[in-house]
Amino acid sequence: MYGMVKDDRHRTRAIASDGGEISIAAHKRAFQLVTAIQDEVHRYSITYSRSAHRKSGLESTLNGIPGIGKTRAAALYRHFKTIKAISAASEEELLAAPGMTRPAAKAVYDFYHAAPELPENKGGGISDL
């Protein structure tokens, strides 16, 4: 197991193991290898993070709508590109997305456009005077 040692400018200057540091700055091929490893780890982690974020965003909103499973949620996302666009779409626009049925389009529209529930008048307001 090795770790990377960074300088003040966040550039890799050495690799570290249990016993100390091994300088790589003077060894061009070693530096290139460590840089390639860093770049691949960075690319992989960003790709994974974006994928997980997109998936959790779909699951947290669309999958909570009756009649919308993973397949329809993914189809809506591919068609509209963003949750904001899905939430702003009319029933007819939602129906135009692949795999949508009229009841499913209505369910999505109603989910995003339902009027907020008003609390019941519990008394004590001006109208009670």
Side-chain angles (χ1 to χ4, degrees), residues 1 34 42 44 54 60 67 72 79-80 94-95 116 129:
M1 175 80 72
V34 170
H42 189 245
Y44 180 84
R54 182 177 14 259
S60 66
R72 276 198 180 129
H79 185 78
F80 288 98
L94 291 165
L95 187 57
L129 296 178

Side-chain angles (χ1 to χ4, degrees), residues 5 19 25 32 34 42-44 66 74 82 89 100 112 122-123 128:
V5 181
Q32 288 173 334
V34 170
H42 189 245
R43 182 203 62 78
Y44 180 84
T82 66
M100 289 298 286
Y112 287 111
K122 304 255 185 217
D128 293 336

Side-chain angles (χ1 to χ4, degrees), residues 37-111:
I37 292 168
Q38 272 183 301
D39 291 346
E40 179 60 18
V41 167
H42 189 245
R43 182 203 62 78
Y44 180 84
S45 64
I46 287 175
T47 301
Y48 175 80
S49 178
R50 285 180 181 159
S51 174
H53 181 59
R54 182 177 14 259
K55 185 177 179 181
S56 69
L58 280 173
E59 288 177 358
S60 66
T61 57
L62 294 176
N63 287 351
I65 303 171
I68 305 299
K70 288 182 180 183
T71 303
R72 276 198 180 129
L76 283 168
Y77 190 75
R78 278 192 303 275
H79 185 78
F80 288 98
K81 308 294 186 228
T82 66
I83 296 296
K84 185 177 180 180
I86 294 168
S87 67
S90 69
E91 279 187 54
E92 293 304 316
E93 291 169 327
L94 291 165
L95 187 57
M100 289 298 286
T101 62
R102 188 160 296 280
K106 180 170 178 23
V108 172
Y109 181 83
D110 289 348
F111 179 82

